[in-house]
Coordinates of all heavy atoms in Angstrom, one line a residue:
M987 N 0.9 -1.2 0.0 CA 0.0 0.0 0.0 C 0.9 1.2 0.0 O 1.9 1.3 0.7 CB -0.9 0.0 1.2 CG -1.7 1.3 1.4 SD -2.9 1.2 2.7 CE -4.4 0.8 1.8
A988 N 0.5 2.2 -0.8 CA 1.3 3.4 -0.9 C 1.1 4.4 0.3 O 0.1 4.3 1.0 CB 0.9 4.1 -2.2
S989 N 2.1 5.2 0.5 CA 1.9 6.3 1.5 C 0.8 7.2 1.1 O 0.5 7.3 -0.1 CB 3.2 7.1 1.6 OG 4.3 6.2 2.1
R990 N 0.3 7.9 2.1 CA -0.7 8.9 1.9 C -0.2 10.2 2.4 O 0.8 10.3 3.1 CB -2.0 8.5 2.6 CG -2.6 7.2 2.0 CD -3.8 6.9 2.7 NE -4.3 5.6 2.2 CZ -5.5 5.2 2.4 NH1 -6.3 5.8 3.2 NH2 -5.9 4.0 1.9
I991 N -0.9 11.3 2.0 CA -0.5 12.6 2.4 C -1.6 13.3 3.2 O -2.8 13.2 2.8 CB -0.2 13.5 1.1 CG1 0.8 12.9 0.2 CG2 0.1 14.9 1.5 CD1 2.2 12.8 0.8
C992 N -1.3 13.9 4.3 CA -2.3 14.6 5.1 C -2.9 15.7 4.3 O -2.1 16.5 3.7 CB -1.7 15.1 6.4 SG -2.8 16.1 7.4
S993 N -4.2 15.8 4.2 CA -4.8 16.8 3.3 C -4.6 18.2 3.9 O -4.7 19.2 3.2 CB -6.3 16.6 3.3 OG -6.6 15.3 2.7
R994 N -4.3 18.3 5.2 CA -4.1 19.7 5.8 C -2.7 20.1 5.8 O -2.4 21.3 5.5 CB -4.7 19.6 7.2 CG -4.7 21.0 7.9 CD -5.4 20.9 9.2 NE -5.3 22.1 9.9 CZ -4.3 22.5 10.7 NH1 -3.4 21.6 11.0 NH2 -4.3 23.6 11.3
C995 N -1.7 19.3 6.3 CA -0.4 19.7 6.5 C 0.6 19.1 5.5 O 1.8 19.4 5.5 CB 0.1 19.4 7.9 SG 0.4 17.7 8.2
S996 N 0.1 18.2 4.7 CA 1.0 17.5 3.6 C 2.0 16.5 4.2 O 2.9 16.1 3.5 CB 1.7 18.5 2.7 OG 0.7 19.3 2.1
K997 N 1.9 16.2 5.5 CA 2.8 15.2 6.1 C 2.5 13.9 5.4 O 1.4 13.5 5.2 CB 2.5 15.1 7.6 CG 3.3 14.0 8.3 CD 2.9 13.9 9.8 CE 3.6 12.8 10.4 NZ 3.1 12.5 11.8
V998 N 3.6 13.1 5.2 CA 3.5 11.8 4.6 C 3.1 10.8 5.7 O 3.6 10.8 6.8 CB 4.9 11.3 4.1 CG1 4.8 9.9 3.6 CG2 5.3 12.2 2.9
I999 N 2.0 10.1 5.4 CA 1.5 9.1 6.4 C 1.9 7.7 5.7 O 1.3 7.3 4.7 CB 0.0 9.2 6.5 CG1 -0.3 10.6 7.1 CG2 -0.5 8.2 7.5 CD1 -1.8 11.0 7.0
N1000 N 2.8 7.0 6.4 CA 3.3 5.8 5.9 C 2.3 4.6 6.1 O 1.4 4.7 7.0 CB 4.6 5.4 6.6 CG 5.7 6.4 6.1 OD1 5.9 6.7 5.0 ND2 6.4 6.9 7.1
P1001 N 2.4 3.6 5.3 CA 1.5 2.4 5.5 C 1.6 1.9 7.0 O 2.6 1.8 7.5 CB 2.0 1.4 4.5 CG 2.7 2.2 3.5 CD 3.2 3.4 4.2
G1002 N 0.4 1.7 7.6 CA 0.4 1.2 9.0 C 0.3 2.3 10.0 O 0.0 2.1 11.2
D1003 N 0.6 3.6 9.6 CA 0.5 4.7 10.6 C -0.9 5.1 10.8 O -1.8 4.9 9.9 CB 1.3 6.0 10.0 CG 2.8 5.8 10.1 OD1 3.3 4.8 10.7 OD2 3.5 6.7 9.5
L1004 N -1.2 5.7 11.9 CA -2.6 6.1 12.3 C -2.9 7.3 11.4 O -2.2 8.2 11.2 CB -2.7 6.5 13.7 CG -4.0 7.0 14.2 CD1 -5.1 5.9 14.1 CD2 -3.9 7.4 15.7
L1005 N -4.1 7.2 10.8 CA -4.7 8.3 10.0 C -6.1 8.4 10.3 O -6.8 7.5 10.8 CB -4.3 8.1 8.5 CG -4.9 6.9 7.8 CD1 -6.3 7.2 7.3 CD2 -4.0 6.5 6.7
Y1006 N -6.7 9.5 9.9 CA -8.1 9.8 10.1 C -8.7 10.2 8.8 O -8.1 10.9 8.0 CB -8.4 10.8 11.1 CG -7.9 10.4 12.5 CD1 -6.6 10.6 12.9 CD2 -8.8 9.8 13.4 CE1 -6.2 10.2 14.2 CE2 -8.4 9.3 14.6 CZ -7.1 9.6 15.0 OH -6.7 9.1 16.2
R1007 N -10.0 9.8 8.6 CA -10.7 10.2 7.4 C -11.8 11.1 7.8 O -12.5 10.9 8.7 CB -11.2 9.0 6.7 CG -12.0 9.3 5.5 CD -12.1 8.1 4.5 NE -11.5 8.5 3.3 CZ -10.5 7.9 2.6 NH1 -10.0 6.8 3.1 NH2 -10.1 8.4 1.5
V1008 N -11.9 12.3 7.1 CA -13.0 13.2 7.4 C -13.8 13.3 6.1 O -13.3 13.6 5.0 CB -12.4 14.6 7.7 CG1 -13.5 15.7 7.9 CG2 -11.5 14.6 8.9
T1009 N -15.1 13.0 6.3 CA -16.0 13.2 5.2 C -17.1 14.2 5.6 O -17.7 14.1 6.7 CB -16.7 11.8 4.9 OG1 -15.8 10.8 4.6 CG2 -17.7 12.0 3.8
I1010 N -17.2 15.2 4.8 CA -18.1 16.3 5.1 C -19.2 16.3 4.0 O -18.9 16.3 2.8 CB -17.4 17.7 5.1 CG1 -16.3 17.7 6.1 CG2 -18.4 18.8 5.4 CD1 -15.3 18.9 6.1
K1011 N -20.4 16.2 4.5 CA -21.5 16.3 3.6 C -22.3 17.6 3.8 O -22.7 17.8 4.9 CB -22.4 15.1 3.8 CG -21.8 13.8 3.4 CD -22.7 12.6 3.7 CE -22.0 11.3 3.4 NZ -22.8 10.1 3.6
V1012 N -22.5 18.3 2.8 CA -23.2 19.6 2.9 C -24.4 19.4 2.0 O -24.3 19.2 0.8 CB -22.4 20.8 2.4 CG1 -23.2 22.1 2.6 CG2 -21.1 20.9 3.2
F1013 N -25.6 19.5 2.6 CA -26.8 19.3 1.7 C -27.9 20.3 2.1 O -28.0 20.7 3.3 CB -27.3 17.9 1.8 CG -27.5 17.3 3.1 CD1 -28.7 17.4 3.8 CD2 -26.4 16.7 3.8 CE1 -28.9 16.9 5.0 CE2 -26.6 16.2 5.1 CZ -27.8 16.3 5.7
A1014 N -28.7 20.6 1.2 CA -29.9 21.5 1.4 C -30.9 20.8 2.3 O -31.1 19.6 2.2 CB -30.5 21.9 0.1
D1015 N -31.4 21.6 3.2 CA -32.4 21.1 4.1 C -33.7 22.0 4.0 O -33.6 23.1 3.4 CB -31.9 21.2 5.6 CG -32.7 20.4 6.5 OD1 -33.6 19.6 6.1 OD2 -32.4 20.4 7.7
F1016 N -34.8 21.5 4.4 CA -36.0 22.2 4.2 C -36.9 21.9 5.5 O -37.0 20.8 5.9 CB -36.8 21.6 3.0 CG -38.1 22.2 2.8 CD1 -38.3 23.6 2.6 CD2 -39.2 21.5 2.7 CE1 -39.5 24.2 2.4 CE2 -40.5 22.0 2.5 CZ -40.6 23.4 2.3
D1017 N -37.3 23.0 6.1 CA -38.1 22.8 7.3 C -39.6 22.6 7.1 O -40.4 22.5 8.0 CB -37.9 24.0 8.2 CG -38.4 25.3 7.6 OD1 -39.0 25.3 6.6 OD2 -38.2 26.4 8.3
G1018 N -40.0 22.5 5.8 CA -41.4 22.2 5.5 C -42.3 23.4 5.4 O -43.5 23.3 5.2
I1019 N -41.7 24.6 5.7 CA -42.5 25.8 5.6 C -42.1 26.6 4.4 O -41.0 26.9 4.1 CB -42.3 26.7 6.9 CG1 -42.7 25.9 8.1 CG2 -43.0 28.0 6.8 CD1 -42.3 26.5 9.4
I1020 N -43.1 27.0 3.6 CA -42.9 27.9 2.5 C -43.6 29.2 2.8 O -44.8 29.3 3.1 CB -43.5 27.4 1.2 CG1 -42.9 26.0 0.8 CG2 -43.4 28.4 0.1 CD1 -43.5 25.3 -0.3
N1021 N -42.8 30.3 2.9 CA -43.3 31.6 3.3 C -43.7 32.3 2.0 O -43.0 33.0 1.3 CB -42.1 32.4 3.9 CG -42.7 33.7 4.5 OD1 -43.8 34.1 4.3 ND2 -41.8 34.3 5.3
I1022 N -45.0 32.1 1.7 CA -45.6 32.6 0.4 C -45.5 34.1 0.3 O -45.3 34.6 -0.8 CB -47.0 32.1 0.3 CG1 -47.0 30.6 0.1 CG2 -47.7 32.7 -1.0 CD1 -48.3 29.9 0.0
K1023 N -45.7 34.8 1.4 CA -45.7 36.3 1.4 C -44.4 36.8 0.8 O -44.4 37.9 0.1 CB -45.8 36.8 2.8 CG -47.2 36.7 3.3 CD -47.3 37.3 4.7 CE -48.7 37.0 5.3 NZ -48.8 37.4 6.7
S1024 N -43.2 36.2 1.0 CA -42.0 36.7 0.6 C -41.6 36.3 -0.8 O -40.6 36.7 -1.4 CB -40.9 36.3 1.6 OG -40.7 35.0 1.6
Y1025 N -42.4 35.4 -1.4 CA -42.1 34.9 -2.7 C -43.2 35.2 -3.7 O -44.3 34.9 -3.5 CB -41.9 33.4 -2.7 CG -40.7 32.9 -2.0 CD1 -40.8 32.4 -0.7 CD2 -39.4 33.0 -2.6 CE1 -39.7 31.9 -0.1 CE2 -38.3 32.6 -1.9 CZ -38.4 32.1 -0.7 OH -37.3 31.6 0.0
T1026 N -42.8 35.9 -4.8 CA -43.7 36.0 -5.9 C -42.9 35.4 -7.1 O -42.0 36.1 -7.6 CB -44.1 37.5 -6.2 OG1 -42.9 38.3 -6.2 CG2 -45.0 38.0 -5.1
I1027 N -43.1 34.2 -7.4 CA -42.3 33.5 -8.4 C -43.0 33.4 -9.7 O -44.2 33.0 -9.8 CB -42.1 32.1 -7.9 CG1 -41.3 32.1 -6.6 CG2 -41.3 31.2 -8.9 CD1 -41.1 30.8 -5.9
D1028 N -42.3 33.8 -10.7 CA -42.8 33.6 -12.1 C -42.2 32.2 -12.5 O -41.0 32.1 -12.8 CB -42.2 34.7 -13.0 CG -42.7 34.5 -14.5 OD1 -43.0 33.4 -14.8 OD2 -42.6 35.5 -15.2
V1029 N -43.0 31.2 -12.5 CA -42.5 29.8 -12.7 C -41.8 29.6 -14.0 O -40.7 29.0 -14.1 CB -43.7 28.8 -12.6 CG1 -43.2 27.4 -12.9 CG2 -44.3 28.9 -11.2
E1030 N -42.4 30.2 -15.1 CA -41.7 30.1 -16.4 C -40.3 30.7 -16.4 O -39.4 30.1 -16.9 CB -42.6 30.8 -17.5 CG -43.9 30.2 -17.7 CD -43.9 29.0 -18.5 OE1 -43.0 28.9 -19.4 OE2 -44.7 28.1 -18.3
K1031 N -40.2 31.9 -15.8 CA -38.9 32.6 -15.8 C -37.9 31.8 -14.9 O -36.8 31.7 -15.3 CB -39.2 34.0 -15.1 CG -38.1 35.0 -15.4 CD -38.5 36.3 -14.8 CE -37.4 37.3 -14.9 NZ -37.8 38.6 -14.4
E1032 N -38.4 31.3 -13.8 CA -37.5 30.5 -12.9 C -37.0 29.3 -13.7 O -35.8 28.9 -13.6 CB -38.1 30.2 -11.6 CG -38.4 31.4 -10.7 CD -37.1 32.0 -10.3 OE1 -36.1 31.4 -9.9 OE2 -37.1 33.3 -10.3
F1033 N -37.9 28.6 -14.4 CA -37.6 27.4 -15.1 C -36.5 27.7 -16.2 O -35.5 27.0 -16.4 CB -38.8 26.8 -15.7 CG -38.5 25.4 -16.4 CD1 -38.2 24.3 -15.6 CD2 -38.6 25.3 -17.8 CE1 -37.9 23.1 -16.2 CE2 -38.3 24.1 -18.4 CZ -38.0 23.0 -17.6
E1034 N -36.7 28.8 -16.9 CA -35.7 29.2 -17.9 C -34.3 29.5 -17.3 O -33.3 29.1 -17.8 CB -36.2 30.4 -18.7 CG -37.4 30.1 -19.6 CD -37.0 29.0 -20.6 OE1 -35.9 29.1 -21.2 OE2 -37.9 28.2 -20.8
K1035 N -34.3 30.1 -16.1 CA -33.1 30.4 -15.4 C -32.4 29.1 -15.0 O -31.2 28.9 -15.2 CB -33.3 31.2 -14.1 CG -33.2 32.6 -14.3 CD -33.0 33.4 -13.0 CE -33.9 33.2 -11.9 NZ -33.9 34.1 -10.8
V1036 N -33.1 28.1 -14.5 CA -32.6 26.8 -14.1 C -32.0 26.1 -15.3 O -31.0 25.4 -15.2 CB -33.6 26.0 -13.3 CG1 -33.2 24.6 -13.1 CG2 -33.9 26.6 -12.0
K1037 N -32.7 26.1 -16.4 CA -32.3 25.4 -17.6 C -30.9 25.9 -18.1 O -30.2 25.1 -18.8 CB -33.3 25.6 -18.8 CG -34.4 24.6 -18.7 CD -35.5 24.7 -19.7 CE -35.1 25.2 -21.0 NZ -36.3 25.3 -22.0
S1038 N -30.6 27.2 -17.9 CA -29.3 27.7 -18.4 C -28.2 27.4 -17.4 O -27.0 27.7 -17.8 CB -29.5 29.2 -18.6 OG -29.7 29.9 -17.3
V1039 N -28.4 26.9 -16.3 CA -27.3 26.6 -15.3 C -26.8 25.1 -15.6 O -27.7 24.2 -15.7 CB -27.8 26.7 -13.9 CG1 -26.7 26.4 -12.9 CG2 -28.3 28.1 -13.6
P1040 N -25.5 24.9 -15.7 CA -25.0 23.6 -15.9 C -25.5 22.6 -14.7 O -25.6 23.0 -13.6 CB -23.5 23.8 -15.8 CG -23.2 25.2 -16.1 CD -24.5 25.9 -15.6
E1041 N -25.7 21.4 -15.1 CA -26.3 20.4 -14.2 C -25.4 20.2 -12.9 O -25.9 20.1 -11.8 CB -26.4 19.1 -14.9 CG -27.2 18.1 -14.1 CD -27.5 16.8 -14.9 OE1 -27.8 16.9 -16.2 OE2 -27.5 15.7 -14.3
D1042 N -24.1 20.2 -13.1 CA -23.2 20.0 -12.0 C -23.3 21.1 -11.0 O -23.2 20.9 -9.7 CB -21.8 19.7 -12.4 CG -21.2 20.8 -13.3 OD1 -21.9 21.5 -13.9 OD2 -19.9 20.9 -13.3
L1043 N -23.5 22.4 -11.4 CA -23.6 23.5 -10.5 C -25.0 23.4 -9.8 O -25.0 23.7 -8.6 CB -23.6 24.8 -11.3 CG -22.2 25.2 -11.8 CD1 -22.2 26.6 -12.5 CD2 -21.2 25.3 -10.6
L1044 N -26.0 23.0 -10.4 CA -27.3 22.8 -9.8 C -27.2 21.7 -8.7 O -27.7 21.9 -7.6 CB -28.4 22.4 -10.8 CG -28.9 23.5 -11.6 CD1 -29.9 22.9 -12.6 CD2 -29.6 24.5 -10.8
E1045 N -26.5 20.6 -9.0 CA -26.3 19.6 -8.0 C -25.5 20.0 -6.8 O -25.9 19.7 -5.7 CB -25.6 18.4 -8.7 CG -25.6 17.1 -7.9 CD -25.0 16.0 -8.6 OE1 -25.4 15.7 -9.7 OE2 -24.0 15.4 -8.1
E1046 N -24.5 20.9 -7.0 CA -23.7 21.4 -5.9 C -24.6 22.3 -5.0 O -24.3 22.5 -3.9 CB -22.5 22.2 -6.4 CG -21.4 21.3 -6.9 CD -20.1 22.0 -7.2 OE1 -20.0 23.2 -6.8 OE2 -19.2 21.4 -7.8
E1047 N -25.6 22.9 -5.6 CA -26.5 23.7 -4.8 C -27.3 22.9 -3.7 O -27.6 23.5 -2.7 CB -27.5 24.5 -5.7 CG -27.0 25.6 -6.4 CD -26.6 26.8 -5.4 OE1 -27.4 27.1 -4.6 OE2 -25.5 27.3 -5.6
V1048 N -27.5 21.7 -4.0 CA -28.2 20.8 -3.0 C -27.4 19.8 -2.3 O -27.8 19.3 -1.2 CB -29.5 20.2 -3.7 CG1 -30.5 21.2 -4.1 CG2 -29.0 19.3 -4.9
Y1049 N -26.2 19.4 -2.9 CA -25.4 18.4 -2.2 C -24.0 18.6 -2.6 O -23.6 18.7 -3.8 CB -25.9 17.0 -2.6 CG -25.1 15.9 -1.9 CD1 -25.5 15.5 -0.6 CD2 -24.0 15.3 -2.5 CE1 -24.8 14.6 0.1 CE2 -23.3 14.3 -1.8 CZ -23.8 14.0 -0.5 OH -23.1 13.0 0.2
K1050 N -23.1 18.6 -1.6 CA -21.7 18.6 -1.9 C -21.0 17.8 -0.8 O -21.3 17.8 0.3 CB -21.2 20.1 -1.8 CG -19.7 20.3 -2.1 CD -19.4 20.3 -3.5 CE -17.9 20.6 -3.7 NZ -17.5 20.3 -5.0
E1051 N -20.0 17.0 -1.3 CA -19.3 16.1 -0.3 C -17.8 16.3 -0.5 O -17.3 16.5 -1.6 CB -19.6 14.6 -0.6 CG -19.1 13.7 0.4 CD -19.6 12.3 0.2 OE1 -20.9 12.1 0.0 OE2 -18.8 11.3 0.3
F1052 N -17.1 16.4 0.7 CA -15.7 16.5 0.7 C -15.1 15.3 1.5 O -15.7 14.8 2.4 CB -15.3 17.8 1.5 CG -15.9 19.0 0.9 CD1 -17.1 19.5 1.3 CD2 -15.2 19.8 0.0 CE1 -17.6 20.7 0.8 CE2 -15.7 20.9 -0.6 CZ -16.9 21.4 -0.1
D1053 N -13.9 14.8 1.1 CA -13.3 13.7 1.7 C -11.8 14.0 1.9 O -11.1 14.3 0.9 CB -13.5 12.4 0.8 CG -13.1 11.2 1.6 OD1 -13.4 11.1 2.8 OD2 -12.5 10.3 0.9
Y1054 N -11.4 13.9 3.2 CA -10.0 14.3 3.5 C -9.3 13.2 4.3 O -10.0 12.5 5.0 CB -9.9 15.6 4.3 CG -10.5 16.8 3.5 CD1 -11.7 17.3 3.9 CD2 -9.8 17.4 2.5 CE1 -12.3 18.4 3.2 CE2 -10.4 18.5 1.8 CZ -11.6 19.0 2.2 OH -12.1 20.0 1.5
I1055 N -8.0 13.1 4.2 CA -7.2 12.3 5.1 C -6.4 13.2 6.0 O -5.8 14.2 5.5 CB -6.3 11.4 4.3 CG1 -7.1 10.3 3.5 CG2 -5.3 10.7 5.2 CD1 -6.3 9.5 2.6
L1056 N -6.4 12.9 7.3 CA -5.7 13.8 8.3 C -4.7 12.9 9.1 O -5.1 11.8 9.5 CB -6.7 14.5 9.2 CG -7.7 15.4 8.6 CD1 -8.6 16.0 9.7 CD2 -7.0 16.6 7.8
C1057 N -3.6 13.5 9.4 CA -2.7 12.9 10.4 C -3.2 13.1 11.8 O -4.2 14.0 11.9 CB -1.3 13.5 10.2 SG -1.1 15.2 10.8
P1058 N -2.7 12.4 12.8 CA -3.3 12.6 14.1 C -3.3 14.0 14.6 O -4.3 14.5 15.2 CB -2.4 11.7 15.0 CG -1.9 10.6 14.1 CD -1.7 11.4 12.7
R1059 N -2.2 14.8 14.4 CA -2.2 16.2 14.9 C -3.3 17.0 14.2 O -4.0 17.8 14.8 CB -0.8 16.8 14.7 CG -0.8 18.2 15.3 CD 0.5 19.0 15.0 NE 0.5 20.2 15.8 CZ -0.2 21.2 15.6 NH1 -1.0 21.3 14.5 NH2 -0.1 22.3 16.3
C1060 N -3.4 16.9 12.9 CA -4.4 17.7 12.2 C -5.8 17.3 12.5 O -6.7 18.1 12.6 CB -4.2 17.6 10.7 SG -2.7 18.5 10.1
K1061 N -6.0 16.0 12.9 CA -7.3 15.5 13.4 C -7.7 16.3 14.7 O -8.8 16.7 14.9 CB -7.3 14.0 13.6 CG -8.6 13.4 14.2 CD -8.3 13.2 15.6 CE -9.5 12.5 16.3 NZ -9.3 12.4 17.7
E1062 N -6.7 16.4 15.6 CA -7.0 17.1 16.9 C -7.3 18.5 16.6 O -8.2 19.1 17.2 CB -5.8 17.0 17.8 CG -5.5 15.6 18.3 CD -6.7 15.0 19.1 OE1 -7.3 15.8 19.9 OE2 -7.0 13.8 19.0
V1063 N -6.6 19.2 15.7 CA -6.8 20.6 15.4 C -8.2 20.7 14.8 O -9.0 21.6 15.2 CB -5.7 21.2 14.5 CG1 -6.1 22.5 14.0 CG2 -4.4 21.2 15.2
Y1064 N -8.5 19.9 13.8 CA -9.8 19.9 13.2 C -10.9 19.7 14.1 O -11.9 20.5 14.2 CB -9.8 18.9 12.0 CG -11.2 18.9 11.4 CD1 -11.6 19.8 10.5 CD2 -12.1 17.9 11.7 CE1 -12.8 19.8 9.9 CE2 -13.4 17.9 11.2 CZ -13.7 18.8 10.2 OH -15.0 18.8 9.7
C1065 N -10.8 18.7 15.0 CA -11.9 18.4 15.9 C -12.1 19.5 17.0 O -13.2 19.6 17.5 CB -11.7 17.0 16.6 SG -11.9 15.7 15.4
A1066 N -11.0 20.2 17.3 CA -11.1 21.3 18.3 C -12.0 22.4 17.8 O -12.6 23.1 18.6 CB -9.8 21.8 18.6
N1067 N -12.1 22.6 16.5 CA -12.9 23.7 15.9 C -13.2 23.4 14.5 O -12.7 24.1 13.6 CB -12.1 25.0 16.1 CG -12.9 26.2 15.8 OD1 -14.1 26.2 15.4 ND2 -12.3 27.4 15.9
P1068 N -14.1 22.5 14.2 CA -14.4 22.1 12.8 C -15.0 23.2 12.0 O -14.8 23.1 10.7 CB -15.4 20.9 13.0 CG -15.8 20.9 14.4 CD -14.8 21.7 15.2
L1069 N -15.7 24.1 12.5 CA -16.3 25.2 11.7 C -15.4 26.4 11.7 O -15.8 27.4 11.1 CB -17.7 25.5 12.2 CG -18.7 24.4 12.1 CD1 -20.0 24.9 12.6 CD2 -18.8 24.0 10.6
H1070 N -14.2 26.3 12.2 CA -13.2 27.4 12.2 C -13.8 28.7 12.8 O -13.7 29.8 12.3 CB -12.8 27.6 10.8 CG -11.3 27.9 10.7 ND1 -10.4 27.1 11.2 CD2 -10.7 29.0 10.1 CE1 -9.2 27.7 10.9 NE2 -9.4 28.8 10.3
L1071 N -14.6 28.5 13.9 CA -15.2 29.6 14.6 C -14.2 30.5 15.3 O -13.1 30.0 15.7 CB -16.2 29.1 15.6 CG -17.4 28.3 15.0 CD1 -18.3 27.7 16.1 CD2 -18.2 29.2 14.0
P1072 N -14.4 31.8 15.5 CA -13.5 32.6 16.2 C -13.3 32.1 17.6 O -14.3 31.7 18.3 CB -14.1 34.0 16.2 CG -15.3 33.9 15.3 CD -15.6 32.5 15.0
L1073 N -12.1 32.0 18.1 CA -11.8 31.5 19.5 C -11.6 32.5 20.5 O -11.2 32.3 21.6 CB -10.6 30.6 19.4 CG -10.8 29.3 18.5 CD1 -9.4 28.6 18.4 CD2 -11.9 28.4 19.0
D1074 N -12.0 33.8 20.2 CA -11.7 34.9 21.1 C -10.3 34.9 21.5 O -9.4 35.0 20.7 CB -12.7 34.9 22.2 CG -14.2 35.0 21.8 OD1 -14.4 35.7 20.8 OD2 -15.0 34.3 22.3
D1075 N -10.0 34.8 22.8 CA -8.7 34.8 23.3 C -8.0 33.5 23.3 O -6.8 33.4 23.7 CB -8.7 35.4 24.7 CG -9.1 36.9 24.7 OD1 -8.9 37.5 23.6 OD2 -9.6 37.4 25.7
L1076 N -8.7 32.4 23.0 CA -8.1 31.1 23.0 C -7.2 30.9 21.8 O -7.5 31.3 20.7 CB -9.2 30.0 22.9 CG -10.0 29.7 24.2 CD1 -11.1 28.7 23.9 CD2 -9.0 29.2 25.3
T1077 N -6.1 30.3 22.0 CA -5.2 29.9 20.9 C -4.8 28.4 21.0 O -4.7 27.9 22.1 CB -3.9 30.8 20.9 OG1 -3.2 30.6 22.1 CG2 -4.2 32.2 20.6
L1078 N -4.6 27.8 19.9 CA -4.2 26.4 20.0 C -2.7 26.3 20.2 O -1.9 27.1 19.7 CB -4.5 25.7 18.6 CG -6.0 25.6 18.3 CD1 -6.1 25.1 16.9 CD2 -6.7 24.8 19.3
T1079 N -2.3 25.4 21.0 CA -0.9 25.2 21.3 C -0.2 24.3 20.3 O -0.9 23.5 19.7 CB -0.7 24.7 22.8 OG1 -1.3 23.4 22.8 CG2 -1.3 25.6 23.8
E1080 N 1.0 24.4 20.2 CA 1.8 23.6 19.2 C 2.1 22.2 19.8 O 2.5 21.3 19.1 CB 3.0 24.3 18.8 CG 2.8 25.5 18.0 CD 2.1 25.2 16.6 OE1 2.4 24.1 16.0 OE2 1.2 25.9 16.3
D1081 N 1.8 22.0 21.1 CA 2.2 20.7 21.7 C 1.1 19.6 21.7 O 1.1 18.7 22.4 CB 2.6 20.9 23.2 CG 1.5 21.5 24.0 OD1 0.6 22.2 23.5 OD2 1.6 21.4 25.3
V1082 N 0.1 19.8 20.8 CA -0.9 18.8 20.6 C -0.1 17.6 19.9 O 0.6 17.8 18.9 CB -2.0 19.3 19.6 CG1 -3.0 18.1 19.3 CG2 -2.7 20.4 20.3
P1083 N -0.3 16.4 20.5 CA 0.4 15.2 19.9 C 0.1 14.9 18.5 O -1.0 15.2 18.0 CB 0.0 14.1 20.8 CG -1.2 14.5 21.6 CD -1.2 16.0 21.5
Ligands
ZN603 ZN1 -1.6 16.8 9.1

């Protein structure tokens, strides 16, 4: 089996070394409520707009998947703040194993 590369730091992960796989699925959700007051839709016009957009872009509007390989250190960093939210005064230390 060939070595792999950490998607975040590019560290070489040799066969047999611990690695982590991160799969992120982003998909459109619907709460079941249509707010009719805020929408005045011209169905014909909207359909024409949709027809002009490439199919792969339309698909990305409703579903997108990412797949990464992480080394142990990058897994810890990722799991500490997966959405990359502001940490205010907190900073990550370099001594994460
Ligand atoms: Zn890494």
Side-chain angles (χ1 to χ4, degrees):
M987 174 174 259
S989 297
R990 297 182 181 188
I991 304 292
C992 175
S993 301
R994 185 173 175 272
C995 73
S996 301
K997 176 183 172 188
V998 174
I999 303 170
N1000 293 312
D1003 287 353
L1004 182 60
L1005 62 88
Y1006 294 89
R1007 178 156 239 130
V1008 177
T1009 301
I1010 301 170
K1011 296 178 182 180
V1012 181
F1013 51 92
D1015 197 4
F1016 178 58
D1017 63 5
I1019 298 171
I1020 298 174
N1021 190 352
I1022 293 175
K1023 288 181 185 173
S1024 65
Y1025 291 102
T1026 50
I1027 298 173
D1028 179 340
V1029 176
E1030 296 281 329
K1031 196 174 173 181
E1032 291 299 317
F1033 186 70
E1034 288 303 316
K1035 264 198 310 195
V1036 169
K1037 277 179 28 183
S1038 67
V1039 177
E1041 191 174 323
D1042 55 336
L1043 289 180
L1044 283 177
E1045 191 174 305
E1046 283 188 12
E1047 281 293 313
V1048 292
Y1049 185 84
K1050 179 81 176 168
E1051 188 171 315
F1052 302 90
D1053 192 38
Y1054 301 106
I1055 290 172
L1056 297 178
C1057 70
R1059 184 182 190 288
C1060 288
K1061 175 259 184 189
E1062 292 298 323
V1063 171
Y1064 175 78
C1065 288
N1067 190 358
L1069 294 181
H1070 220 55
L1071 298 173
L1073 298 175
D1074 298 323
D1075 293 334
L1076 285 174
T1077 56
L1078 295 175
T1079 59
E1080 291 299 318
D1081 59 338
V1082 176

